[in-house]
């Protein structure tokens, strides 16, 4: 199915670090009025942020980008709700979503969005529809059939293949999928005995078309909302909720990972107790997980407390520093879902929706100066400037200052993350240097007028500047 792109652009003022307060987070309001149902955040190779969300009022799926304070949106041609976004390294987006109780997939061809149903028979219950792209850009999704089955689907060429993955029992909740460096999928899903003899969390890795499954958490608790990330060695990092029905209900935000030696390590990040006699209604939801370049996990979870009759929701970011978990508040009132992305500098970005009656869609980012407590993040030791800007017909000068001798590279992207021009600068000494760009691509053809981003990478240092090309 084809549809027109309907879009708008909003330029947002970026809040300085000093204005953030003790939590160390800047929050940008992307849309103050939208009533968000499902949302997802992804990041491309030039640290451009890509968003998908569903508008509960219009039942529309919206795709948005956030670059250098510019928020741009497009509406997909079909209505939908729960959704997940993934992008290629060059920033080409895809979205998986539910519509009329089925799982759907949307992708971009030129300036148009294409949509198709993944399976016209199988139910896709409300909840996350995790989406991952392999190195060839082919989509892989998981969806929950609602109470009984989790499904994994893969598109090869123009056809989808779908299979049930929880072969050992019923499905408690959705499954999550990621793609390893070998191009093969990894999944995690909760599973229970149909006679409630056990409940467990299962990790699966596909090898040569066969699934190799193992139990990651065998404690006989109820597991739900698992999320999965892979580190640079393809080791799984999993965050999930767990609760135990025995008198008072104990809710836990949990983390587990598999070591290089093959053993599973389990940790509890935070716990709350629900006591019906006291009238409490407390619980924890795990929202997302990411792994930075140092192999350190970053987890989002929501803690809901109702000990005084007044509901309070707090969104937390937890990360590991050595053997210690560090936790900080991101926002004080959110919807159920939140999503996380880590950029090339180690920066943490969080997307979340506001609760009734304010609603709204918000993007929070952590101040670099506060650090994340994990591996040292590369600092921007590169200074980059462009003159004139706007760049008119003829040569423009790109100036950059290097902290050390290195082989920097310059890449110019358009607003969709596509490479417009690329230069290998060659060995340069520390200090100030200049390059010229005449507004042409690698074939010597003039690029279209518009907004572009110049990105200079010098070793671990990266600097990005926005430019406007006019003719």
């Amino acid at each position: 199915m084809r549809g027109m792109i309907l879009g708008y652009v909003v330029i947002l003022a970026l809040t300085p670090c000093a204005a953030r307060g003790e939590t160390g987070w800047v929050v940008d309001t992307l849309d103050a009025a939208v009533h968000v149902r499902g949302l997802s955040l992804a990041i491309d190779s030039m640290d451009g942020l890509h968003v998908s969300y569903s508008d509960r009022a219009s039942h529309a799926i919206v795709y948005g980008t956030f670059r250098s304070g510019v928020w741009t949106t497009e509406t997909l041609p079909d209505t939908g709700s729960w959704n997940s976004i993934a992008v290629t390294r060059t920033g080409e987006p895809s979205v998986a979503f539910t519509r009329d109780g089925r799982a759907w997939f949307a992708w971009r061809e030129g300036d148009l969005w294409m949509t198709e149903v993944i399976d016209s028979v199988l139910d896709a219950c409300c909840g996350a529809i995790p989406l991952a792209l392999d190195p060839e850009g082919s989509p892989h999704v998981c969806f929950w059939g609602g109470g009984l089955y989790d499904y994994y689907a893969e598109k090869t060429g123009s056809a989808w293949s779908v299979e049930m993955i929880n072969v050992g029992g019923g499905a408690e909740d959705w499954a999550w999928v990621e793609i390893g460096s070998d191009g093969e999928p990894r999944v995690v899903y909760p599973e229970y005995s149909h006679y409630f003899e056990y409940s467990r969390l299962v990790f699966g890795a596909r090898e040569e078309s066969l699934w190799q499954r193992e139990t990651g958490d065998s404690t006989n608790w109820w597991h739900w909302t698992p999320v999965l990330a892979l580190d640079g060695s393809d080791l799984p990092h999993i965050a999930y909720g767990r609760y135990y029905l025995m008198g008072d209900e104990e809710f836990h935000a949990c983390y587990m990972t598999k070591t290089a030696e093959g053993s599973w390590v389990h940790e509890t990040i935070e716990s709350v107790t629900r006591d019906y006699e006291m009238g409490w209604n407390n619980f924890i939801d795990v929202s997302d997980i990411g792994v930075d370049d140092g192999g350190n996990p970053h987890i989002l979870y929501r803690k809901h407390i109702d000990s005084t009759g007044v509901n309070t929701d707090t969104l937390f970011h937890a990360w590991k520093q050595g053997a210690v978990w560090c936790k900080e508040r991101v926002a004080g009132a959110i919807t159920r879902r939140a999503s996380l992305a880590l950029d090339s500098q180690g920066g943490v970005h969080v997307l979340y929706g506001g609760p009734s009656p304010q609603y709204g869609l918000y993007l929070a980012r952590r101040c670099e100066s506060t650090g994340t407590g994990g591996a040292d993040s590369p600092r921007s030791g590169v200074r980059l400037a462009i003159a004139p800007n706007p760049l008119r017909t003829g040569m423009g000068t790109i100036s950059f200052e290097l902290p050390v001798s290195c082989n920097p590279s310059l890449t110019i992207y358009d607003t969709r993350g596509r490479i417009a021009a690329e230069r290998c600068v060659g060995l340069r000494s520390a200090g100030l240097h200049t390059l010229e760009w005449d507004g042409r691509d690698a074939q010597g053809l003039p690029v279209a007028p518009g907004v572009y981003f110049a990105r200079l990478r010098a070793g671990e240092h990266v600097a990005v500047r926005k430019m406007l090309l006019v003719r």
Side-chain angles (χ1 to χ4, degrees), residues 375-394:
D376 291 338
S377 298
R379 297 187 179 275
S380 183
V382 177
R383 297 171 62 184
L384 181 63
I386 300 169
N389 194 4
L391 173 64
R392 299 184 182 275
T393 302

Side-chain angles (χ1 to χ4, degrees), residues 173-174 224-225 240-242 251-254 272 282-288 299-304 313-316 334-338:
D173 212 327
W174 65 62
W224 84 100
T225 61
Y240 57 103
R242 192 174 70 180
F251 288 78
H252 303 266
C254 299
V272 297
N282 308 331
F283 58 85
I284 289 178
D285 271 333
V286 173
S287 298
D288 207 351
I299 295 171
L300 282 181
Y301 67 94
R302 177 182 67 132
K303 185 165 70 172
H304 178 92
D313 281 324
T314 305
L315 182 65
F316 287 95
I334 69 163
T335 57
R336 181 170 182 258
R337 295 296 299 157

